[in-house]
Amino acid sequence: MNQHIVEITLDNFQQVIVEQSKEKHILVTFWAEQIPESIELKDKLAQKTAAFSDHITLATVDCQSQGQIAQQFGIQGLPTAVLIKDSQPVDGISGPQTDETIAAFLDKYLPKPEDLLLQQAQQALASGDVSTANKAISEAYQLAANDNRADIKLVLADVYIQTGKTTEAAALLDTIMMVDQDSYYQTLIAKLELANEAANSPEIQALESQLAANSDDISVMHKLAAQYNQVNRNEEALALLFKHVQQGPKEDADSKAKSKELLLDILKSLPEGDPLTGKYRRKLYTLMY
């Protein structure tokens, strides 16, 4: 039997209906061999809840062998399913059901795709996997575009800050309503201020001044590109390096090769799906033909 399905008996009734329902919803479906519609409902509920075992457990009650349990729930007829949370029935369906009515019933209690993506992004951020977090939260943000989800916006702003998109992060944080400006929001505001300070450090300013004074100093240019990359100013770093790869003198082959190597290293470091990757790989491709 599927892992998210449990057969209810008198022996495990307390554990499932009382204890487990404190943690998540328990959907109890009642069935009997002689009533095909009840078996059909049980099978459809099993199929439609299979991917959501972290959020809902499907419990089945065989009314022939567990009549006492069915009686305790006050079941009058089959097919019937009852949703339990904190030991109490909160919703239910009875009678023959179509796929549409089952979906409408479950949609009220199962997480939306954007909720699962948000959870994935949060877990990825916690483990330091910014690339996976970026992909998941960007998709969640698109799916919830019309819902003004502050929780999704905050995680996306966090990813923006960690990938150097401070302008985008600031714009997103500006849309957070006061009621949603919780401790996570305050933390992101502080992280954004620090990121902006680091992005324009005295060391970077000094290198920019040196390069402005002598645009042919390739060593300074490489140092500046590396510093830009360190503070996630990757678009500026890539533009600087590509300009040299594209326009540098032919006799400067070694330093141009170094610029190309640094450029490729930066592209490899970008989160999966970052548009800069495709943009600069296409630019490099045009130089080959």
Side-chain angles (χ1 to χ4, degrees), residues 39-96:
I39 298 175
E40 182 182 2
L41 178 61
K42 173 171 65 73
D43 293 344
K44 285 184 175 181
L45 290 175
Q47 179 184 9
K48 294 180 183 299
T49 59
F52 303 97
S53 58
D54 289 342
H55 304 273
I56 193 167
T57 292
L58 183 66
T60 67
V61 175
D62 183 347
C63 294
Q64 289 180 287
S65 61
Q66 304 297 330
Q68 186 175 343
I69 295 175
Q71 186 177 10
Q72 186 169 339
F73 275 92
I75 302 303
Q76 300 296 319
L78 299 180
T80 294
V82 178
L83 192 69
I84 305 295
K85 187 69 175 72
D86 296 324
S87 307
Q88 299 298 319
V90 295
D91 205 347
I93 49 176
S94 61

Side-chain angles (χ1 to χ4, degrees), residues 27-47:
L27 180 57
V28 186
T29 180
F30 298 85
W31 68 282
E33 193 68 42
Q34 67 270 31
I35 303 179
E37 294 88 352
S38 68
I39 298 175
E40 182 182 2
L41 178 61
K42 173 171 65 73
D43 293 344
K44 285 184 175 181
L45 290 175
Q47 179 184 9

Side-chain angles (χ1 to χ4, degrees), residues 161-215:
I161 293 169
Q162 295 194 43
T163 54
K165 298 179 179 179
T166 54
T167 301
E168 292 90 336
L172 202 55
L173 290 172
D174 282 343
T175 70
I176 302 298
M177 304 293 288
M178 187 172 294
V179 68
D180 296 313
Q181 294 179 10
D182 56 10
S183 59
Y184 187 25
Y185 168 86
Q186 300 299 337
T187 297
L188 293 179
I189 291 294
K191 287 172 68 173
L192 181 60
E193 291 176 358
L194 290 173
N196 283 329
E197 290 178 10
N200 198 30
S201 66
E203 185 175 4
I204 287 177
Q205 292 180 42
L207 288 169
E208 288 173 336
S209 296
Q210 291 176 46
L211 190 62
N214 183 7
S215 61

